[in-house]
Amino acid sequence: AVAAALGRGRGVAMRGMSDRVQKDFSTKSAMIRKLGKLVLQREFDMRTQIMEDAKLAKRSGMSQEELLADFERAVKFLREEVGCSPMESDICISKVATGLYMQHLGKPRIPANDEMNIVMDWLLENLACKREDGTLRTIIEKYPFVLGRSIEDLDESRRFCPEDIDFDIAVSEDPALIDKTYNCDGICANQCTQCWYNG
């Protein structure tokens, strides 16, 4: 009975990965169709927000020029380090600065270059990706929020990954899994959005 229960748990986790409906957090999800044309949604156009809303910079403790320069620095870093296009790098930084749940919408948290470098180094060491072949860029464009994570968050995700799931491959294919930092093993603890068991 114990072996059957253990096998059942592993099977559910594996089936959960193959049946999982992937949410689109990519840079493409920042675009909406208006009158037949793709248009960037306002909440993901950080440059325009900074230039039009002086309070945004004030809440961040900076002048508009300083906040805009900080945004441009981060965007330039992504273009140079991973080869993102101008639009993709703008959206990536806008998404990470706003936050996954838009918790920083009124006060953007733009990551520093060294913070992004640390995360990218971790991704290169821990996932099936490389800078040279563009797979690192693809991961960042699929899930820009990874740039706002700490090493502790990333290590926690790896630690809780079920044994029957290859973390490197699963997260390379679906970078949103990087936010799975819990595993209830089928005994729900009401942390479903963070749980590997939920997929």
Side-chain angles (χ1 to χ4, degrees):
V2 174
L6 288 174
R8 185 175 59 99
R10 276 197 281 276
V12 171
M14 194 57 148
R15 189 177 69 246
M17 291 304 297
S18 62
D19 295 349
R20 183 171 186 270
V21 176
Q22 291 185 15
K23 293 181 184 172
D24 186 9
F25 295 103
S26 73
T27 53
K28 292 179 180 98
S29 70
M31 307 296 277
I32 57 171
R33 193 167 292 279
K34 281 189 178 178
L35 301 173
K37 293 182 180 178
L38 283 176
V39 179
L40 183 60
Q41 295 179 61
R42 180 168 168 66
E43 59 266 26
F44 300 120
D45 187 359
M46 185 67 60
R47 183 179 288 108
T48 302
Q49 287 181 51
I50 293 168
M51 291 189 295
E52 291 178 355
D53 185 3
K55 292 180 183 175
L56 195 66
K58 188 175 182 180
R59 283 189 295 267
S60 299
M62 301 177 171
S63 69
Q64 274 181 293
E65 293 78 21
E66 290 171 330
L67 186 57
L68 188 58
D70 196 30
F71 175 76
E72 296 297 348
R73 172 213 33 90
V75 164
K76 182 180 177 190
F77 178 81
L78 270 189
R79 289 179 191 156
E80 292 174 354
E81 291 299 314
V82 293
C84 289
S85 71
M87 176 69 86
E88 302 289 334
S89 58
D90 283 7
I91 294 171
C92 284
I93 297 301
S94 295
K95 281 191 166 209
V96 73
T98 304
L100 178 60
Y101 303 108
M102 298 206 174
Q103 66 268 36
H104 311 299
L105 192 57
K107 185 180 177 185
R109 293 184 61 201
I110 299 169
N113 292 357
D114 46 334
E115 292 170 338
M116 290 189 283
N117 243 338
I118 289 169
V119 170
M120 286 190 275
D121 288 346
W122 189 93
L123 294 171
L124 290 167
E125 290 171 17
N126 290 278
L127 300 184
C129 68
K130 295 179 185 166
R131 198 180 299 257
E132 299 79 29
D133 65 3
T135 50
L136 176 63
R137 185 191 76 245
T138 302
I139 288 171
I140 291 169
E141 289 177 355
K142 278 186 177 179
Y143 196 69
F145 304 106
V146 72
L147 294 173
R149 301 298 178 255
S150 68
I151 294 302
E152 292 78 26
D153 294 337
L154 300 171
D155 286 338
E156 198 77 351
S157 180
R158 177 179 277 292
R159 188 169 72 83
F160 278 108
C161 180
E163 294 174 8
D164 61 336
I165 296 174
D166 186 330
F167 181 85
D168 299 356
I169 294 171
V171 175
S172 294
E173 289 177 4
D174 184 6
L177 293 172
I178 205 78
D179 277 339
K180 301 293 183 187
T181 55
Y182 189 76
N183 190 352
C184 71
D185 288 323
I187 302 168
C188 187
N190 292 326
Q191 295 190 33
C192 300
T193 59
Q194 299 169 327
C195 189
W196 275 97
Y197 191 86
N198 187 36

